[in-house]
Amino acid sequence: MLRVGLGAFLGASIGVFLTAGWLVGGLLWGYLPNLSTTLLTTLGLIGGSALVGAGYALWRAKRVPAMLPHHREQHQRLRQMVQQIRANLHQMTGMRASYPELDEILRKDAELRHRASRLHAQIMRQAQRELSWIDHLTVAWEAWREGGLASLSHTERAWRAYRAKMEREMKALGRRLERNRDPHLHTTLTNAYRQKARELASFRNLERTLQTLENESSVIVTSVESLLVETIRLSSAPRAATPSSETLLAPLREQISAYEQAIDELYRLPSEPEAEEIRLGRPPQGGA
């Protein structure tokens, strides 16, 4: 509700400026409205702008950010569970409340899944740009030999092929560097080896980051599922014997704090430009 109130305030502020512009324009053009017209126009502009601002803020609060289909499906399922929890809490307490913890946990889950989807797309673009049909065929052959081809998705196959390709290239550069006897070529090979090592390390870091984001989403879903089961169990119990909503929602508050700490540690990088270049597999400007 705070965001809706802020949106209404900003909208009303815009309405004040529109009203002032209308009055100044009327004076410049020689139009002098009577008092009732001025009051109605002022109220209409300010009130209408406030409603538009509140509506936009409400839409922004409820809008689900862009994410992959399976992430969207899981997030919608989480929203349904939260809606059921609200109904159960209303039945237990006999009154309706906002329960900001539930709104916050939905927002955190949407943010996690949005970040995971963007990171997933980035890895896929990076892999598909570098892979050839031979790389895909090699990984498919290896997976078939291991008996896991049927369970390997297109995404997993692409990531596995890209990782294997970088590892092969890095090993080949390492062997060339060991066999090299030309001092002029040594610097070139060393720089190429370091670059490939950076690319492989940044790719593995992307995979770890994605895994961490998806793990955090799983923890949120588990917490909400546990709360749903608990509220279902307590909704049929006598009202005097049920704990307060504050007690029931305490684990969610702890989960929100743990999430914020985990994300802060995950994205604590050296500096923005350098971190972005390393994340995309490019050396920082001026590096070897």
Side-chain angles (χ1 to χ4, degrees), residues 200-219:
L200 182 58
S202 66
F203 180 76
R204 287 173 174 166
N205 183 57
L206 284 174
E207 287 187 307
R208 285 194 299 269
T209 302
L210 181 59
Q211 186 62 50
T212 301
L213 292 173
E214 292 182 342
N215 289 344
E216 288 293 324
S217 293
S218 299
V219 171

Side-chain angles (χ1 to χ4, degrees), residues 101-150:
E101 295 87 352
L102 296 175
D103 294 328
E104 184 67 11
I105 208 71
L106 283 176
R107 191 181 70 81
K108 298 295 186 188
D109 183 76
E111 180 181 346
L112 273 172
R113 296 185 185 280
H114 174 61
R115 290 187 182 186
S117 298
R118 288 182 58 188
L119 193 56
H120 182 282
Q122 179 183 344
I123 294 175
M124 285 300 295
R125 286 195 304 268
Q126 191 170 326
Q128 291 172 348
R129 187 171 56 245
E130 301 291 336
L131 292 175
S132 65
W133 66 270
I134 298 177
D135 298 315
H136 288 287
L137 187 60
T138 301
V139 167
W141 170 252
E142 292 175 354
W144 181 79
R145 288 178 58 191
E146 297 169 0
L149 181 60

Side-chain angles (χ1 to χ4, degrees), residues 207-263:
E207 287 187 307
R208 285 194 299 269
T209 302
L210 181 59
Q211 186 62 50
T212 301
L213 292 173
E214 292 182 342
N215 289 344
E216 288 293 324
S217 293
S218 299
V219 171
I220 285 178
V221 171
T222 302
S223 301
V224 174
E225 284 177 341
S226 300
L227 180 59
L228 176 60
V229 171
E230 186 68 9
T231 55
I232 291 174
R233 184 183 67 83
L234 293 171
S235 59
S236 59
R239 187 172 297 178
T242 58
S244 66
S245 58
E246 289 291 321
T247 303
L248 288 171
L249 294 173
L252 280 189
R253 287 192 291 271
E254 295 174 3
Q255 180 57 45
I256 291 170
S257 300
Y259 158 84
E260 291 173 346
Q261 182 178 356
I263 296 301

